[in-house]
């Protein structure tokens, strides 16, 4: 309701501003004795209003107002409505025709664009669903097979073997839980169910929290940190940004084959803080770079399935990263490092906290 009211006031303001400018210009022309272009100015004002506002009503109202204004103030007899002259009637008809035709055209264009955007969203949802279904099948099969084995013939295995099987079930279950959390983050933010509330967050505390969680999950993977010496405070939703950094680090662990070095670097660039996760692994195939954040890039490149469920995450983690960063009015990119490996980089604005936040 508030959004609809906002659009109405926005359209009214556009119409008012356009006609104030048209009226001011006409007054100037009238004082200089140039009357013949005044009608053209109001016709152009009707055209602009029809383009810049939604639907037909504002264009038609502007045509009526313009017709009355020209007839009353700028044509003979002045300051009196008189439609007996043919030129006055022609002006009125032209303005109405422009308003209706322009309104029809802009409405069709906006409708077409809305349909196009919605179709693209549906395509992305379908690709995401196919990707998730494709990759979830493997850990589910593993969990089902392992649990069935323990139930049917667990007594035939040693204690160490049973513990190993149970750890496998635990790891795959944990992977599935994180997949679901990532999916929920995407859908909630896209549907506006999560409101990004930014609070001042100290950079060092943010990184410490991420590292604790990351090392708990990947105790063998060392991360080299390169952080500013100064205390940096960034307005953000700390929980969501933690998820972004964790996902980027995890992505390197899962996909950067041959990696021996993983670096998390943070630096200030102007009014932005830039987070950079780089590795010296296998890098990203050039044809996959453009679609790496869409949640299912590997399905379009003929990537074959792997028996190791840990090597699959459908790019969902990267899609989550893009969704969260965009919700923070930031930007995220991916590229190959010239010396080898990949670099993921995202930036957040260092902005003053507003009361609305």
């Amino acid at each position: 309701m508030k959004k609809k009211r906002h659009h109405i006031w926005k359209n009214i303001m556009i119409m008012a501003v356009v006609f104030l400018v048209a009226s001011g210009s006409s007054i100037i022309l009238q004082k200089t004795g140039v009357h013949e272009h005044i009608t053209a100015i109001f016709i152009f004002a009707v055209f602009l209003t029809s383009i810049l506002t939604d639907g037909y009503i504002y264009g038609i109202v502007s045509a009526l107002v313009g017709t009355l204004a020209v007839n009353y103030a700028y044509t003979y007899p002045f300051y009196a409505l008189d439609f007996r002259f043919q030129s006055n009637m022609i002006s009125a008809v032209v303005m109405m025709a422009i308003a209706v035709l322009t309104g029809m055209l802009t409405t069709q264009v906006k409708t077409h664009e809305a349909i196009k955007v919605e179709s693209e969203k549906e395509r992305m949802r379908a690709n995401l669903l196919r990707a998730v279904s494709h990759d979830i099948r493997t850990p589910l099969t593993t969990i089902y097979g392992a649990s069935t084995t323990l139930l049917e013939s667990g007594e035939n295995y040693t204690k160490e073997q049973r513990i190993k099987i149970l750890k496998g079930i635990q790891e795959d279950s944990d992977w599935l839980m994180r997949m679901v959390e990532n999916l929920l983050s995407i859908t909630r933010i896209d549907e506006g169910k999560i409101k990004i509330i930014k609070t001042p967050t100290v950079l060092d505390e943010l990184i410490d929290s991420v590292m604790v969680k990351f090392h708990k999950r990947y105790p063998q993977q060392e991360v080299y940190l390169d952080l500013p010496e100064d205390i940096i405070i960034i307005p953000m939703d700390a929980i969501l940004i933690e998820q972004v950094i964790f996902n980027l680090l995890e992505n390197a662990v899962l996909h950067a084959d041959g990696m021996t070095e993983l670096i998390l670097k943070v630096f200030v660039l102007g009014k932005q803080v830039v987070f950079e996760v780089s590795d010296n692994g296998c890098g990203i195939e050039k044809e996959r770079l453009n679609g790496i954040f869409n949640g299912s890039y590997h399905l379009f490149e003929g990537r074959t399935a792997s028996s190791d469920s840990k090597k699959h995450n459908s790019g969902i983690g990267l899609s989550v990263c893009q969704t969260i960063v965009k919700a923070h009015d930031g930007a995220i990119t991916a590229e190959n490092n010239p010396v080898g490996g990949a670099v993921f980089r995202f930036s957040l604005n260092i902005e003053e906290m507003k009361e609305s936040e």
Side-chain angles (χ1 to χ4, degrees):
M1 188 67 183
K2 289 183 179 179
K3 188 175 181 181
K4 185 177 180 180
R5 196 179 299 122
H6 172 74
H7 278 293
I8 292 174
W9 279 110
K10 179 183 176 183
N11 290 325
I12 291 174
M13 287 298 297
I14 290 172
M15 185 172 64
V17 169
V18 170
F19 269 85
L20 281 174
V21 173
S23 298
S25 303
S26 299
I27 290 171
I28 293 172
L29 289 178
Q30 191 178 45
K31 288 184 176 180
T32 57
V34 182
H35 298 275
E36 58 270 19
H37 299 303
I38 291 177
T39 301
I41 288 175
F42 276 93
I43 289 175
F44 184 64
V46 171
F47 176 71
L48 276 181
T49 302
S50 300
I51 286 181
L52 298 175
T53 56
D54 301 320
Y56 299 87
I57 184 169
Y58 301 100
I60 293 173
V61 169
S62 67
L64 291 172
V65 173
T67 300
L68 295 175
V70 170
N71 188 283
Y72 182 78
Y74 303 107
T75 57
Y76 182 84
F78 297 110
Y79 305 111
L81 293 175
D82 189 348
F83 288 95
R84 290 176 298 174
F85 293 96
Q86 186 178 10
S87 58
N88 293 351
M89 292 298 297
I90 291 174
S91 297
V93 171
V94 169
M95 286 189 190
M96 291 297 295
I98 287 176
V100 173
L101 293 175
T102 307
M104 289 175 60
L105 179 61
T106 53
T107 299
Q108 289 177 358
V109 170
K110 290 174 182 178
T111 302
H112 176 73
E113 288 297 320
I115 293 173
K116 185 178 178 181
V117 169
E118 189 59 34
S119 298
E120 182 64 19
K121 286 183 178 179
E122 287 299 325
R123 186 183 69 83
M124 292 297 294
R125 289 190 190 104
N127 290 337
L128 191 62
L129 181 59
R130 285 199 299 270
V132 172
S133 301
H134 181 273
D135 284 352
I136 280 181
R137 186 181 298 115
T138 300
L140 284 177
T141 302
T142 302
I143 291 171
Y144 179 80
S147 58
T148 301
T149 298
L150 288 176
L151 285 172
E152 294 180 352
S153 55
E155 66 278 0
N156 297 329
Y157 292 90
T158 64
K159 181 179 179 181
E160 289 75 16
Q161 290 174 324
R162 288 196 297 272
I163 290 175
K164 185 177 180 180
I165 294 173
L166 288 171
K167 281 185 177 179
I169 293 175
Q170 184 184 49
E171 289 174 0
D172 283 334
S173 298
D174 183 62
W175 184 91
L176 287 170
M177 288 176 64
R178 287 184 292 108
M179 170 72 85
V180 171
E181 288 173 0
N182 282 333
L183 287 171
L184 288 175
S185 294
I186 293 177
T187 55
R188 286 174 180 171
I189 293 175
D190 283 344
E191 294 173 3
K193 293 180 181 179
I194 291 182
K195 182 180 180 181
I196 302 297
I197 301 177
K198 298 179 183 178
T199 56
T201 303
V202 178
L203 176 63
D204 289 342
E205 294 178 0
L206 173 76
I207 300 301
D208 287 344
S209 179
V210 173
M211 288 298 99
V212 168
K213 295 175 182 178
F214 182 77
H215 285 135
K216 184 177 180 181
R217 174 66 182 169
Y218 301 102
Q220 304 302 320
Q221 179 62 55
E222 186 175 0
V223 179
Y224 298 93
L225 299 178
D226 184 356
L227 307 177
E229 294 183 0
D230 298 333
I231 297 176
I232 307 296
I233 299 177
I234 314 164
M236 65 170 73
D237 185 316
I239 293 176
L240 292 178
I241 296 301
E242 281 183 20
Q243 188 175 3
V244 172
I245 300 172
F246 185 95
N247 284 357
L248 292 178
L249 293 170
E250 183 179 57
N251 183 73
V253 174
L254 297 180
H255 299 290
D257 294 336
M259 178 183 69
T260 59
E261 186 177 72
L262 179 58
I263 302 172
L264 172 58
K265 180 179 180 181
V266 185
F267 57 93
V268 177
L269 186 62
K271 294 184 178 181
Q272 293 185 321
V273 175
V274 181
F275 295 77
E276 186 177 278
V277 175
S278 59
D279 63 74
N280 63 345
C282 59
I284 307 166
E285 293 182 19
K286 189 177 296 184
E287 61 271 18
R288 292 180 179 172
L289 273 173
N290 290 336
I292 200 166
F293 292 108
N294 70 10
S296 54
Y297 65 91
H298 66 268
L299 292 184
F300 305 108
E301 307 299 337
R303 176 175 165 181
T304 57
S306 167
S307 59
D308 183 1
S309 66
K310 293 181 185 178
K311 291 296 181 182
H312 278 201
N313 70 353
S314 301
I316 300 300
L318 295 180
S319 184
V320 169
C321 293
Q322 183 183 55
T323 302
I324 293 174
V325 171
K326 281 188 174 182
H328 280 76
D329 300 317
I332 186 168
T333 60
E335 62 184 25
N336 282 316
N337 195 327
V339 297
V343 180
F344 287 84
R345 191 178 293 114
F346 73 93
S347 58
L348 299 176
N349 295 323
I350 304 177
E351 55 191 65
E352 292 184 4
M353 297 303 299
K354 300 177 182 178
E355 290 185 6
S356 60
E357 294 174 344

